Every structure is written in C-alpha cells, then in structure tokens.
Amino acid sequence: MLSAKSESDIASLAPSSPSRSPKRPVYYVQSPSRDSNDGDKLSSMQPSPMESPSHPSSGRHSRNSSGSRFSGIFRSSSGRKSSGRKGNGNKEWKDKGWPECNVIMEEGSYDDEDKTFTRRFQALIALLSFVFLFAVFCLIIWGASRPYKAEIMVKSLVVNNFYVGEGSDSSGVPTKMLTLNGSLRMSVYNPATIFGIHVSSTTINLVYSEIPIATGQLKKYYQPRKSHRTVSMIIEGNKVPLYGAGSSLTFAQTGIVIPLTLKFEIRSRGNVVGKLVRTKHRRQISCPLVIDSSSSKPIKFKKNTCTYD
C-alpha cells in the first residue's frame, strides 16, 4: 500500500511538511483606516504580505510597501504633523494624497472694484474739467474788463484863503510861512457795463518848488456801472515853512503870484466776478497852475491842461 502511493499523493502532502527554509521575521505595515471615525487611531495593523501564503509575489509586496509610506503620519513642509482623517470641520485626507483646505471666499468681486474706481476717476475728471473751464471763463472776463478804465478829469480849484508872511518854524528858524485853504473838484466816469468800481486816491499834494504847501485826500466811495460823478476834496496847508524857496516868490502891488503843481493818483478797483476776478487801474495826474492872491475866481482846468498817465 505504501509503495502504491502515487506521486500526486506525495505532492499533496509535501506542503504540509515543515519548511526547512529559515523563518522570516514578522512585521506590520500601517494602512489608512477609512471606516473609523476615531481621530486618535491613525491606522490599523495588518500582517505583512510576506507572511500570507496567498501573496507570494514580491512585486506586489513592493507596491504595497510603497503605498504604506504615505498612509502614516503626514509631515508638511512647515514641520507640523497631520493625521489621515479627523472629525468634521477639520482638514481631511482625500484620494489626492494631501489635505484639502476650505476655500476662503472674498467679499465683493473685482467687477465692483473696477466700477468704483471708474466712478471715482470720472468724478475727478469732471471736477478738473469744471475748474479748468471756470478758470478759462474768469480769464476771458478779466481780459474783457481790462479796457474799462475810469475816466478822470480835474475841473477846478477854488482858493478860499491864501496868505504869505514872515515867521519861524518849530525849531525857531526864521522863514517865510504860507497858509492856503481851498477845494478841488473832479469828475469821475465809469464806462464799464457789467461792474461797478471802488474809487480812492493817494494824498493830493499842491507843490511849490518841491515843497508840499497843501494836502488833501479823496474819501473812498463806490461808483456804479455806466455812471458819472463829481467829487470834491478839501486842500489845506497851515503855516508851512518855505525856507529857501520863499526867496523866489513874486510880490506884486495887488498881491502874490505863485506857480504851483497839483499831483496825485486816482485808484479804481472793479469786482467783476466777486473777489475772484478783479480789475485794477491807476491814473497819475499832474496839473500846473498859478495862484494869484488878488483873484477870487476859481481856477479852471481845461482838458489838455492836466496829464493823465
């Protein structure tokens, strides 16, 4: 019976006999546990393919080993450890092989920002355009108002009191003293059609040999557009010392004849567009005249007697 055993029976009993090859060590690999919700348990322990008789292939073992290298604890580039799967609300491992992060949604959109920037830019352009056009308008108005100068004409000088005598100044020096009192009349015309003018003057001087013997001042006033006005100023001088100039005075039998010069400046200012656009003019006026103490008639000035610069 023993000899009658076939080779097939011997072959079937051969695997059950103990192997004489050296026993390989048992080890375990970690694989991700996808069915467990416990965040602390990272992996389950499974026997190595080397111990399983159903997986004798070494090629498949290499693939399983390489896959187990990514199923353990993940260490990011920043040095932190992250586990495979965690509870709800945390980063989870997906089939991609890296933790998936929540997307941060930005408020608004780029289209809204572009529209806001466009509106602000358009508002700035509109403001600059308005300022430019207003400046051009003011410049045109100013240029158009420049030719409208106030027309000045000195009419007459009435001498009320004129006296020359001997005396002394404040320091006691003897000299000739002159006293004069009179009124000056002048007409002012504003030719402007769109604005009025403010008229004033510098000190009005009645000069004899470079010495002011009488002074006056025009009180500032406002004159409407396209209007005429006649103004009067008081000119007076009281006991003015003449010093060396007194020697040239001419004394006649009827009185004293003295050549004088009337000098002053008229200023006019027009507010065309409020205080933003103004026009200013100045007129230097000089009028030669001769005063005769024996005559009480007013001294009239012709149109070409005075110079207006």
Side-chain angles (χ1 to χ4, degrees):
M1 294 293 292
L2 295 173
S3 60
K5 291 182 179 179
S6 64
E7 294 179 359
S8 61
D9 295 334
I10 296 173
S12 63
L13 295 175
S16 62
S17 61
S19 177
R20 294 182 182 181
S21 60
K23 186 177 181 179
R24 297 181 180 180
V26 178
Y27 68 94
Y28 295 90
V29 296
Q30 297 177 352
S31 61
S33 178
R34 300 190 180 186
D35 297 330
S36 176
N37 293 328
D38 189 5
D40 298 332
K41 295 180 180 181
L42 302 177
S43 62
S44 63
M45 306 300 293
Q46 296 180 359
S48 171
M50 296 301 296
E51 294 295 319
S52 176
S54 62
H55 301 282
S57 175
S58 62
R60 187 168 182 178
H61 165 69
S62 63
R63 288 195 300 271
N64 293 335
S65 300
S66 63
S68 65
R69 289 180 299 175
F70 299 95
S71 61
I73 298 176
F74 174 76
R75 183 180 296 274
S76 63
S77 59
S78 61
R80 294 182 178 179
K81 296 180 179 180
S82 59
S83 59
R85 182 177 180 183
K86 296 184 180 180
N88 295 332
N90 298 330
K91 297 180 180 179
E92 295 183 357
W93 283 83
K94 300 296 181 181
D95 295 338
K96 300 177 181 179
W98 59 81
E100 193 170 279
C101 301
N102 294 329
V103 179
I104 300 176
M105 301 300 294
E106 296 183 356
E107 295 182 358
S109 61
Y110 291 104
D111 295 337
D112 295 338
E113 293 180 359
D114 293 341
K115 291 180 180 178
T116 302
F117 176 77
T118 302
R119 290 174 181 175
R120 291 180 180 178
F121 183 74
Q122 291 176 351
L124 179 61
I125 291 298
L127 179 61
L128 293 178
S129 300
F130 173 77
V131 172
F132 176 75
L133 293 176
F134 184 75
V136 172
F137 171 75
C138 293
L139 185 62
I140 294 174
I141 294 297
W142 178 81
S145 63
R146 287 293 296 171
Y148 294 101
K149 298 180 180 180
E151 297 179 5
I152 312 297
M153 184 175 180
V154 180
K155 286 191 170 184
S156 64
L157 173 65
V158 178
V159 179
N160 299 323
N161 187 12
F162 180 72
Y163 173 77
V164 178
E166 296 291 337
S168 59
D169 59 7
S170 58
S171 61
V173 177
T175 182
K176 291 182 179 180
M177 311 292 289
L178 188 146
T179 299
L180 187 145
N181 187 4
S183 62
L184 179 67
R185 295 178 68 250
M186 178 179 64
S187 67
V188 180
Y189 171 64
N190 178 21
T193 59
I194 59 175
F195 60 92
I197 57 175
H198 299 267
V199 183
S200 62
S201 75
T202 60
T203 302
I204 301 172
N205 293 317
L206 195 58
V207 181
Y208 171 70
S209 186
E210 301 301 327
I211 300 175
I213 60 175
T215 59
Q217 184 76 41
L218 173 64
K219 187 177 180 181
K220 185 178 179 179
Y221 71 95
Y222 174 79
Q223 185 165 336
R225 58 185 181 178
K226 299 291 289 183
S227 62
H228 289 84
R229 184 170 179 174
T230 300
V231 294
S232 179
M233 296 84 70
I234 301 299
I235 299 176
E236 60 182 357
N238 185 24
K239 295 181 180 181
V240 179
L242 300 177
Y243 299 109
S247 59
S248 60
L249 288 175
T250 302
F251 292 90
Q253 295 180 355
T254 57
I256 303 173
V257 178
I258 179 172
L260 302 175
T261 303
L262 183 67
K263 294 181 179 181
F264 62 100
E265 180 184 86
I266 294 295
R267 299 173 179 175
S268 63
R269 185 189 78 244
N271 296 332
V272 184
V273 184
K275 293 184 179 181
L276 295 177
V277 180
R278 291 181 175 183
T279 176
K280 296 181 180 181
H281 296 96
R282 295 183 178 184
R283 302 294 299 272
Q284 295 283 346
I285 300 173
S286 178
C287 301
L289 65 137
V290 176
I291 295 178
D292 188 355
S293 61
S294 61
S295 176
S296 59
K297 295 180 180 180
I299 302 172
K300 295 184 178 180
F301 298 93
K302 296 181 180 181
K303 186 176 182 181
N304 297 328
T305 302
C306 300
T307 58
Y308 304 91
D309 298 329

